[in-house]
Amino acid sequence: MMIFATLLFAYTLSQFFRAFLAIVSVDLSRDLGLDSAQLGAVSAIWFAAFALAQFPVGYALDRYGPRRTIATTMIFAVIGCGLMAAATGFVSALTAMAAIGIGCSAILMGSLYLFARNHAAEKFAMFTSLFVGLGALGNLLGTTPLALAVELFGWRWSMVGITAITALSTLLAFLVLRDPERIDSSDGSGGMIDGLVEIVSLRTLWLILPITFVSYAVVIATRSLWIAPFFSQVHGYSVTATGNAALLMAITMSIGALAYGPLERLIRDAKRTAVIGSAVTAAAYLALAGFGAQSAAASVALIGLIGGAGLTYGIIMAHARLFFPRHLIGRGVTFMNFIFISGAGIIQWISGQFINASERAGLDAGERYATLYGAFGLLVAAALALYLFASARPGPQDRHQP
């Protein structure tokens, strides 16, 4: 229980870091002189650094275990928090967020590694959804509580406090976590590159990758970057009101992640569960594109629905995990996480470029965000169309059994 709590503490912070910019974006842009494209880049660099770190993290998990991997990488998060508190411009903010991204890169994967090693494959979805759902409460800290802290102390002193909390979590990871017994490869695929080649060669994963790339990306882009500008510019919300809207989305994301585990157990099919959630998410984004500018109440309701249905991360990961051999679990889950997070970084960067260009072109806020959310819905729908053809479970044609 102490190990689970330590991991959850760290993962809650990881969730906070990928979403907190939505609340401080106005103050950050003003104090550091950032435009929309630069703000999008600052948010995206967290995901880019996080994603690129997945390859050495996966190798380190299989070779050295989660304790040293998680605790060592989290030192970068502590450094990055301190740098962000002292940031003076675009480059320093970019550097700080990159360091925080590296620092968070092993937390979830180390946790999933332990779940996969210590529990049967059919229980992986339940443990993953429970962990992701509870960890998504970190999103709550990055909504109204953060908005209140920023109003009381300013965003810089708020970051100082977060730095201290991150340092405490890092120390606990060093002291509490324990590694499972190492498993050596029996076929020579023990190196980082060889293991990745073997993972990529699993053709059954190929039709899962598009939905992996876009499903989490559009939801976290909405939550971490565009929810505040959307409600403030389109509906005239204050900082606190915007924080409340983000709080609702954070709550529904947590509830949705928690619900997907029991739902998968009821349906008894991870793929079918993910299909249902993705279809609802695509429809909600298209509805937001069509009606969001006309009604604040409809926008809030649809944002909540997207949060609840859209966090299919754990179920898609559980589906992919069925195809990984035991000696490559670390590299398998980190490869999938690379796809999830790189999608988030790329889509955030592209969306920032789009918003900046549309502002220069003179589009009003309603048109800008209708186009953005419509594109998000179409991306999910297109990826879902491919995902329908993916195998639900490993068959005789698959080279490895989990």
Side-chain angles (χ1 to χ4, degrees), residues 219 252-253 256 260 273-274 276-281 284 304-312:
V219 175
T252 59
M253 287 172 69
Y260 270 121
T273 306
I276 294 170
S278 299
V280 172
T281 303
L305 179 59
I306 288 168
L311 209 62
T312 52

Side-chain angles (χ1 to χ4, degrees), residues 229-355:
F230 170 67
F231 279 106
S232 63
Q233 296 172 20
V234 176
H235 297 296
Y237 276 25
S238 66
V239 173
T240 302
T242 298
N244 290 336
L247 177 63
L248 171 66
M249 187 176 186
I251 291 172
T252 59
M253 287 172 69
S254 183
I255 293 173
L258 286 169
Y260 270 121
L263 182 61
E264 189 272 342
R265 299 279 287 198
L266 178 65
I267 295 175
R268 297 182 180 277
D269 189 315
K271 177 191 169 183
R272 191 178 305 168
T273 306
V275 166
I276 294 170
S278 299
V280 172
T281 303
Y285 267 118
L286 294 175
L288 185 61
F291 308 108
Q294 285 73 46
S295 170
S299 296
V300 171
L302 288 168
I303 284 290
L305 179 59
I306 288 168
L311 209 62
T312 52
Y313 175 100
I315 294 302
I316 294 173
M317 181 69 82
H319 182 202
R321 183 263 175 269
L322 295 173
F323 302 96
F324 300 146
R326 291 188 76 228
H327 69 279
L328 291 176
I329 285 174
R331 278 159 284 188
V333 295
T334 51
F335 173 76
M336 292 299 294
N337 203 42
F338 169 78
I339 303 298
F340 276 115
I341 300 301
S342 61
I346 291 170
I347 285 178
Q348 290 205 26
W349 181 80
I350 291 174
S351 63
Q353 297 298 313
F354 165 76
I355 293 294

Side-chain angles (χ1 to χ4, degrees), residues 144-281:
T144 304
L146 178 60
L148 293 174
V150 169
E151 288 184 350
L152 288 172
F153 308 111
W155 69 270
R156 292 189 186 276
W157 280 109
S158 298
M159 286 303 302
V160 170
I162 295 161
T163 303
I165 294 171
T166 306
L168 174 61
S169 180
T170 303
L171 179 61
L172 286 174
F174 270 115
L175 297 177
V176 174
L177 298 185
R178 295 292 181 269
D179 294 324
E181 182 181 353
R182 180 184 168 192
I183 295 178
D184 291 317
S185 170
S186 60
D187 61 2
S189 59
M192 181 171 71
I193 301 302
D194 290 340
L196 288 173
V197 168
E198 186 171 350
I199 291 296
V200 174
S201 71
L202 298 174
R203 295 188 179 184
T204 49
L205 293 179
W206 292 1
L207 290 172
I208 304 176
L209 295 183
I211 196 70
T212 304
F213 185 82
V214 304
S215 60
Y216 178 73
V218 296
V219 175
I220 198 62
T222 303
R223 168 62 191 89
S224 68
L225 198 55
W226 302 122
I227 191 171
F230 170 67
F231 279 106
S232 63
Q233 296 172 20
V234 176
H235 297 296
Y237 276 25
S238 66
V239 173
T240 302
T242 298
N244 290 336
L247 177 63
L248 171 66
M249 187 176 186
I251 291 172
T252 59
M253 287 172 69
S254 183
I255 293 173
L258 286 169
Y260 270 121
L263 182 61
E264 189 272 342
R265 299 279 287 198
L266 178 65
I267 295 175
R268 297 182 180 277
D269 189 315
K271 177 191 169 183
R272 191 178 305 168
T273 306
V275 166
I276 294 170
S278 299
V280 172
T281 303

Side-chain angles (χ1 to χ4, degrees), residues 75-99:
I75 295 172
F76 286 91
V78 178
I79 296 171
C81 285
L83 290 175
M84 179 59 78
T88 57
F90 174 61
V91 173
S92 54
L94 205 67
T95 303
M97 287 299 288

